[in-house]
Each structure stands twice: as C-alpha cells, then as structure tokens.
Amino acid sequence: MKPGLKVLDEIPKWNVVAWTSLIAGYVNNDCASEAIRVFKDMESLNVEPNEITLVHVLVACARSRDLGTGKLVHSRVRQLGYDPFVSSCNPNLVLATAIFDMYAKCGNLNTARDLFDKMPKRNLVVWNSMIASYNQYGQAEEAVGVFSDLLVSGFDPDKATFLSVISACGKLGDLALGQSFHAYVLKMNICNDVAVGTALVDMYAKSGDAESARKVFSDLKTKDTKAWTSMIIGLAMHGHGEEALTTFKRMQEDAAASPDQITYIGVLSACSHVGLVEEGQRHFTEMRNVYGIEPTIEHYGCMVDLLS
DNA sequence: TTAGGGTTAG
C-alpha cells in the first residue's frame, strides 16, 4: 500500500512542507526505503528540501543502512548552505546529529568519528551512538577508548552506554574490565535489568568465566529470548554442549520466551559439539515445524558440521 | 514540521 502516492496524484503541486510531512510519515512508520523514494521524487520535481526534510531523509538513510543515498543527502546539505559543521554562530544541532548518526549507523566509522570530533555540541546520546557503532562494527577497543573519553569529559554513563561497553569487553575477552563494569552497574542498581544481565552473561561467557555467567543468568528475575540465547550460546561456545541443551529445554518450558533464529544457532552448534546427530536433526525439524523459523546459511552450516 | 543511544550470531 502506498497511501501517500494516491494523495499525490490528486494534488497538482506540493510545497516543501507537504513533501516533508509525507517523508516524515513514512520514516515514523518504519518505511524508510519508501521515504527515500519519496525524497528522490521530490528532488526530481525540483522542489527544494529544507533542513527539516533533510533531517528526516538522513534518518531514513540511517535506518535502511543506505550509505550511498546518505552521502548524496549530505552533499545536498552542503550545497544548500546548511552545513552545521562549518563555523556558524547558531549551528543546527538536530541536523548535525542526523548526519553523524547516518554515517555511524551505516558503518562508515572514520567519517562518523571525524564528525563526532567536530560536533558543535555533544550530548550523551551522541556519545552512546559513537560507542555503540564502534562495538557493533568490530572495533571494541575503540568503543572502550571513547568510553574513557566520555568519563574524562564529565558525562555520566547510563544503561545504554554500559550495554555497549560490557559487550565490547566480551569481544575483547577482557574479564577484568568487564568485572569493573559489573561493579559499576551494581552501584547504579540496574543489574536486574534483563538487557544489562544479558550483556553480562555474554561478557562472562566470552571471557571464559562460565560460573559468573551462570550466576548472573540465574539471578535474572525475568528472562527473555535474548537472555536465554546468550546463556545457551555462551555454554555451547565453551564446550558445555550438554548443559546448553538442558538450558534450551528449560527455555522451551518458559512461557515468557520463545526461541528465535539465533537461539537455534546455539542449539545446533551445541549438538554438533557434543556429536548428537539425531538430536540436532530433531531440533532442526522442530525449528521449522514448531516455531516456523526458516533456516539460514548459519543453520545449514551447523548441520554440515554436525553430519561431517 | 526537526533526532539521536542498548545486549544475543555471523
């Protein structure tokens, strides 16, 4: 359905506000690629975007990880004289953040970092976005580095900050640093939060401390899909295949969480580690027939390992 | 009419 286009046919000439509202509507309804298409239509009809239009389109590019269009929009920003990164007494911070975040979300970290350093004013969300992007795109060390800069700058990290840096510790296998973050979130009293707990389980498992991973996991009052999955994968990754499978059985008995594609990567790899061919085949079938999860290339990879 | 942050796999 393209409700906007129907309206479009009926209105001979739209102004920039109308176009912008349509684009914003698509962005706010999770139709980022549709928003980008509308923006391109608008451009081809020579309606000049304003700063607000550009913000919405940049958000759309970030959400759909469309770096190519994002760069075009960025040059359009400069062309129209709106560049918030050139010295100006009153830079548009919303636009600056939208440009930065587009590069960060699309994984162009060098440009994102350059803009981050030039940002006219930084708040905690911008810091968190920089840290999260480094972590997500495999630069865990940089994520931790920006975290220390954040402390030096006098900001107070919050839950989102810790989710990223705890995850980064797991990727680095830095147990000591992970433990210090654990102490920090205990003091902040956000340890019972299921997301924080999940990040800790993952960190401890990846750092080789299975006992602490189990402890954090069992202390969690509510366990969602991601929490169960982290525990199962953490056990499977470190040679506790049997325990991973009994944990998966408990998960299936928990009405509050149901397995997803990622859970099954853990389950199937546990079966292959332990050499349980039939159980692996049974889980593969169950994944499709009971949970309606279509296998991905990773699932097939686990099955190949299992059968070879 | 204006944005933006998070954990699980690969």
Side-chain angles (χ1 to χ4, degrees), chain A residues 17 59 97 123 128 158-159 163 206 226:
Chain A
V17 175
V59 171
T97 308
N123 58 23
N128 285 346
D158 66 0
K159 188 172 111 180
L163 288 172
K206 289 204 172 99
K226 289 176 179 178

CSV table of all heavy atoms in Angstrom, one decimal, chain A residues 17 59 97 123 128 158-159 163 206 226, chain B:
chain,number,residue,atom,x,y,z
A,17,VAL,N,6.6,21.7,2.6
A,17,VAL,CA,6.1,21.2,3.8
A,17,VAL,C,5.3,19.9,3.6
A,17,VAL,O,5.4,19.0,4.4
A,17,VAL,CB,5.2,22.3,4.5
A,17,VAL,CG1,4.6,21.7,5.8
A,17,VAL,CG2,6.1,23.5,4.9
A,59,VAL,N,17.6,10.3,8.6
A,59,VAL,CA,17.2,9.3,9.5
A,59,VAL,C,16.8,8.1,8.7
A,59,VAL,O,17.1,6.9,9.1
A,59,VAL,CB,16.1,9.8,10.4
A,59,VAL,CG1,15.4,8.7,11.2
A,59,VAL,CG2,16.5,10.9,11.3
A,97,THR,N,23.5,16.1,14.2
A,97,THR,CA,23.3,14.7,14.8
A,97,THR,C,22.8,13.8,13.8
A,97,THR,O,23.3,12.6,13.7
A,97,THR,CB,22.3,14.8,16.0
A,97,THR,OG1,22.8,15.8,16.9
A,97,THR,CG2,22.3,13.5,16.7
A,123,ASN,N,26.0,15.5,23.3
A,123,ASN,CA,25.3,15.1,24.5
A,123,ASN,C,25.5,13.6,24.6
A,123,ASN,O,26.1,12.9,23.8
A,123,ASN,CB,23.8,15.5,24.4
A,123,ASN,CG,23.1,14.9,23.2
A,123,ASN,OD1,23.6,13.9,22.7
A,123,ASN,ND2,22.0,15.5,22.8
A,128,ASN,N,26.9,7.8,23.1
A,128,ASN,CA,26.5,6.4,23.1
A,128,ASN,C,26.4,5.9,21.7
A,128,ASN,O,26.7,4.7,21.5
A,128,ASN,CB,25.1,6.3,23.8
A,128,ASN,CG,25.2,6.4,25.3
A,128,ASN,OD1,26.3,6.3,25.8
A,128,ASN,ND2,24.1,6.5,26.0
A,158,ASP,N,25.2,5.9,31.1
A,158,ASP,CA,23.9,5.4,31.6
A,158,ASP,C,23.8,3.9,31.1
A,158,ASP,O,24.7,3.3,30.6
A,158,ASP,CB,22.7,6.2,31.1
A,158,ASP,CG,22.6,6.3,29.6
A,158,ASP,OD1,23.4,5.6,28.9
A,158,ASP,OD2,21.7,6.9,29.1
A,159,LYS,N,22.6,3.4,31.1
A,159,LYS,CA,22.4,2.0,30.8
A,159,LYS,C,22.8,1.7,29.4
A,159,LYS,O,23.5,0.7,29.1
A,159,LYS,CB,20.9,1.6,31.0
A,159,LYS,CG,20.6,0.2,30.8
A,159,LYS,CD,19.1,-0.1,31.2
A,159,LYS,CE,18.3,-0.5,30.0
A,159,LYS,NZ,16.9,-0.7,30.4
A,163,LEU,N,25.6,-1.1,28.2
A,163,LEU,CA,25.3,-2.3,27.3
A,163,LEU,C,26.4,-2.4,26.2
A,163,LEU,O,26.8,-3.5,25.9
A,163,LEU,CB,23.9,-2.1,26.7
A,163,LEU,CG,22.7,-2.3,27.6
A,163,LEU,CD1,21.4,-1.9,27.0
A,163,LEU,CD2,22.7,-3.7,28.1
A,206,LYS,N,32.0,-15.1,27.1
A,206,LYS,CA,33.1,-14.9,26.1
A,206,LYS,C,34.4,-14.7,26.8
A,206,LYS,O,35.4,-15.0,26.1
A,206,LYS,CB,32.7,-13.7,25.3
A,206,LYS,CG,31.6,-13.9,24.3
A,206,LYS,CD,31.7,-12.9,23.2
A,206,LYS,CE,30.6,-13.3,22.1
A,206,LYS,NZ,29.4,-12.4,22.2
A,226,LYS,N,16.5,-13.1,24.3
A,226,LYS,CA,17.9,-12.8,24.2
A,226,LYS,C,18.7,-13.3,25.4
A,226,LYS,O,19.9,-13.7,25.2
A,226,LYS,CB,18.1,-11.3,24.0
A,226,LYS,CG,17.7,-10.8,22.7
A,226,LYS,CD,17.8,-9.2,22.6
A,226,LYS,CE,17.3,-8.7,21.3
A,226,LYS,NZ,17.3,-7.3,21.2
B,1,DT,P,4.1,23.4,12.4
B,1,DT,OP1,2.7,23.2,12.4
B,1,DT,OP2,4.8,24.3,13.3
B,1,DT,O5',4.9,22.0,12.2
B,1,DT,C5',4.2,20.8,12.4
B,1,DT,C4',5.3,19.8,12.0
B,1,DT,O4',5.7,20.0,10.7
B,1,DT,C3',6.5,19.9,12.9
B,1,DT,O3',7.0,18.6,13.3
B,1,DT,C2',7.5,20.6,12.0
B,1,DT,C1',7.1,20.1,10.7
B,1,DT,N1,7.4,21.0,9.6
B,1,DT,C2,8.0,20.5,8.4
B,1,DT,O2,8.3,19.4,8.3
B,1,DT,N3,8.3,21.5,7.5
B,1,DT,C4,8.1,22.8,7.5
B,1,DT,O4,8.4,23.5,6.6
B,1,DT,C5,7.4,23.3,8.8
B,1,DT,C7,7.1,24.7,8.9
B,1,DT,C6,7.1,22.4,9.7
B,2,DT,P,7.9,18.6,14.6
B,2,DT,OP1,7.5,17.4,15.2
B,2,DT,OP2,7.8,19.9,15.3
B,2,DT,O5',9.4,18.5,14.1
B,2,DT,C5',9.7,18.2,12.7
B,2,DT,C4',11.1,17.6,12.7
B,2,DT,O4',12.0,18.6,12.3
B,2,DT,C3',11.6,17.1,14.1
B,2,DT,O3',12.4,16.0,13.8
B,2,DT,C2',12.5,18.3,14.5
B,2,DT,C1',13.0,18.8,13.2
B,2,DT,N1,13.4,20.2,13.2
B,2,DT,C2,14.6,20.6,12.8
B,2,DT,O2,15.5,19.8,12.4
B,2,DT,N3,14.9,21.9,12.9
B,2,DT,C4,14.0,22.9,13.3
B,2,DT,O4,14.4,24.1,13.3
B,2,DT,C5,12.7,22.4,13.7
B,2,DT,C7,11.7,23.4,14.3
B,2,DT,C6,12.5,21.1,13.7
B,3,DA,P,12.1,14.7,14.6
B,3,DA,OP1,11.0,14.1,14.0
B,3,DA,OP2,12.1,15.0,16.1
B,3,DA,O5',13.4,13.9,14.2
B,3,DA,C5',14.6,14.6,14.2
B,3,DA,C4',15.7,13.5,14.2
B,3,DA,O4',16.8,14.1,14.9
B,3,DA,C3',15.2,12.3,15.0
B,3,DA,O3',15.8,11.2,14.3
B,3,DA,C2',15.8,12.5,16.4
B,3,DA,C1',17.0,13.4,16.2
B,3,DA,N9,17.0,14.5,17.2
B,3,DA,C8,16.0,15.0,17.9
B,3,DA,N7,16.4,15.9,18.8
B,3,DA,C5,17.8,16.0,18.6
B,3,DA,C6,18.8,16.8,19.2
B,3,DA,N6,18.5,17.7,20.1
B,3,DA,N1,20.0,16.6,18.8
B,3,DA,C2,20.3,15.7,17.8
B,3,DA,N3,19.4,14.9,17.2
B,3,DA,C4,18.2,15.1,17.6
B,4,DG,P,15.4,9.8,14.9
B,4,DG,OP1,15.4,8.9,13.7
B,4,DG,OP2,14.2,9.8,15.8
B,4,DG,O5',16.7,9.4,15.8
B,4,DG,C5',18.0,9.6,15.3
B,4,DG,C4',19.0,9.6,16.4
B,4,DG,O4',19.0,10.9,17.0
B,4,DG,C3',18.7,8.7,17.5
B,4,DG,O3',19.1,7.4,17.2
B,4,DG,C2',19.5,9.3,18.7
B,4,DG,C1',19.5,10.8,18.3
B,4,DG,N9,18.6,11.6,19.2
B,4,DG,C8,17.3,11.4,19.3
B,4,DG,N7,16.8,12.2,20.2
B,4,DG,C5,17.9,13.0,20.6
B,4,DG,C6,17.9,14.1,21.5
B,4,DG,O6,17.0,14.6,22.2
B,4,DG,N1,19.2,14.5,21.7
B,4,DG,C2,20.3,14.0,21.0
B,4,DG,N2,21.5,14.6,21.3
B,4,DG,N3,20.3,13.0,20.2
B,4,DG,C4,19.0,12.6,20.0
B,5,DG,P,18.5,6.2,17.9
B,5,DG,OP1,18.6,5.1,16.9
B,5,DG,OP2,17.2,6.6,18.4
B,5,DG,O5',19.5,6.0,19.0
B,5,DG,C5',20.9,6.0,18.7
B,5,DG,C4',21.7,5.6,19.9
B,5,DG,O4',21.5,6.5,21.0
B,5,DG,C3',21.4,4.2,20.4
B,5,DG,O3',22.2,3.3,19.7
B,5,DG,C2',21.8,4.3,21.9
B,5,DG,C1',21.6,5.8,22.2
B,5,DG,N9,20.5,6.1,23.0
B,5,DG,C8,19.2,6.2,22.6
B,5,DG,N7,18.4,6.5,23.6
B,5,DG,C5,19.2,6.8,24.7
B,5,DG,C6,19.0,7.2,26.0
B,5,DG,O6,17.9,7.4,26.5
B,5,DG,N1,20.2,7.2,26.8
B,5,DG,C2,21.4,7.0,26.3
B,5,DG,N2,22.4,7.1,27.2
B,5,DG,N3,21.7,6.6,25.1
B,5,DG,C4,20.5,6.5,24.3
B,6,DG,P,21.6,1.9,19.4
B,6,DG,OP1,22.6,1.3,18.5
B,6,DG,OP2,20.2,2.0,19.0
B,6,DG,O5',21.8,1.2,20.8
B,6,DG,C5',23.0,1.2,21.4
B,6,DG,C4',22.9,0.2,22.5
B,6,DG,O4',21.8,0.5,23.4
B,6,DG,C3',22.6,-1.2,22.0
B,6,DG,O3',23.8,-1.9,21.7
B,6,DG,C2',22.0,-1.9,23.3
B,6,DG,C1',21.3,-0.7,24.0
B,6,DG,N9,19.9,-0.6,23.9
B,6,DG,C8,19.1,-0.4,22.8
B,6,DG,N7,17.8,-0.4,23.1
B,6,DG,C5,17.8,-0.6,24.5
B,6,DG,C6,16.7,-0.7,25.4
B,6,DG,O6,15.5,-0.7,25.1
B,6,DG,N1,17.1,-0.9,26.7
B,6,DG,C2,18.4,-1.0,27.1
B,6,DG,N2,18.6,-1.2,28.4
B,6,DG,N3,19.4,-0.9,26.3
B,6,DG,C4,19.0,-0.7,25.0
B,7,DT,P,23.7,-3.1,20.9
B,7,DT,OP1,25.0,-3.2,20.2
B,7,DT,OP2,22.4,-3.2,20.2
B,7,DT,O5',23.6,-4.3,22.0
B,7,DT,C5',24.7,-4.4,22.9
B,7,DT,C4',24.5,-5.5,23.8
B,7,DT,O4',23.2,-5.3,24.6
B,7,DT,C3',24.2,-6.9,23.1
B,7,DT,O3',25.5,-7.5,22.9
B,7,DT,C2',23.4,-7.6,24.1
B,7,DT,C1',22.6,-6.6,24.9
B,7,DT,N1,21.2,-6.5,24.4
B,7,DT,C2,20.2,-7.1,25.2
B,7,DT,O2,20.5,-7.7,26.2
B,7,DT,N3,19.0,-7.0,24.7
B,7,DT,C4,18.5,-6.3,23.6
B,7,DT,O4,17.4,-6.2,23.3
B,7,DT,C5,19.6,-5.6,22.9
B,7,DT,C7,19.2,-4.8,21.6
B,7,DT,C6,20.8,-5.8,23.3
B,8,DT,P,25.7,-8.1,21.5
B,8,DT,OP1,27.1,-8.4,21.4
B,8,DT,OP2,25.0,-7.3,20.4
B,8,DT,O5',24.9,-9.5,21.6
B,8,DT,C5',25.2,-10.3,22.7
B,8,DT,C4',24.5,-11.6,22.5
B,8,DT,O4',23.1,-11.4,22.5
B,8,DT,C3',24.8,-12.3,21.1
B,8,DT,O3',25.9,-13.1,21.2
B,8,DT,C2',23.5,-13.2,21.0
B,8,DT,C1',22.4,-12.4,21.7
B,8,DT,N1,21.5,-11.6,20.8
B,8,DT,C2,20.4,-12.2,20.5
B,8,DT,O2,20.0,-13.3,20.9
B,8,DT,N3,19.6,-11.5,19.6
B,8,DT,C4,19.8,-10.3,19.1
B,8,DT,O4,19.0,-9.8,18.3
B,8,DT,C5,21.1,-9.7,19.5
B,8,DT,C7,21.5,-8.4,18.9
B,8,DT,C6,21.9,-10.4,20.3
B,9,DA,P,26.9,-13.1,20.0
B,9,DA,OP1,28.0,-14.0,20.4
B,9,DA,OP2,27.1,-11.8,19.4
B,9,DA,O5',26.0,-14.0,18.9
B,9,DA,C5',25.7,-15.3,19.2
B,9,DA,C4',25.7,-16.1,17.8
B,9,DA,O4',24.6,-15.6,17.0
B,9,DA,C3',27.0,-15.8,17.0
B,9,DA,O3',27.2,-17.0,16.3
B,9,DA,C2',26.6,-14.7,16.1
B,9,DA,C1',25.1,-14.9,15.9
B,9,DA,N9,24.4,-13.7,15.7
B,9,DA,C8,24.5,-12.5,16.5
B,9,DA,N7,23.7,-11.6,16.1
B,9,DA,C5,23.0,-12.1,15.1
B,9,DA,C6,22.0,-11.6,14.2
B,9,DA,N6,21.5,-10.4,14.3
B,9,DA,N1,21.5,-12.4,13.2
B,9,DA,C2,22.0,-13.6,13.1
B,9,DA,N3,23.0,-14.2,13.8
B,9,DA,C4,23.4,-13.4,14.8
B,10,DG,P,28.7,-17.2,15.7
B,10,DG,OP1,28.9,-18.6,15.6
B,10,DG,OP2,29.6,-16.3,16.5
B,10,DG,O5',28.6,-16.5,14.2
B,10,DG,C5',28.0,-17.3,13.2
B,10,DG,C4',28.0,-16.5,11.9
B,10,DG,O4',27.1,-15.3,12.2
B,10,DG,C3',29.3,-15.9,11.5
B,10,DG,O3',29.7,-16.4,10.3
B,10,DG,C2',29.1,-14.4,11.4
B,10,DG,C1',27.6,-14.2,11.5
B,10,DG,N9,27.2,-13.1,12.3
B,10,DG,C8,27.9,-12.6,13.5
B,10,DG,N7,27.3,-11.5,13.9
B,10,DG,C5,26.2,-11.3,13.1
B,10,DG,C6,25.2,-10.2,13.1
B,10,DG,O6,25.1,-9.3,13.9
B,10,DG,N1,24.4,-10.4,12.1
B,10,DG,C2,24.4,-11.4,11.1
B,10,DG,N2,23.4,-11.4,10.2
B,10,DG,N3,25.3,-12.3,11.1
B,10,DG,C4,26.2,-12.2,12.1
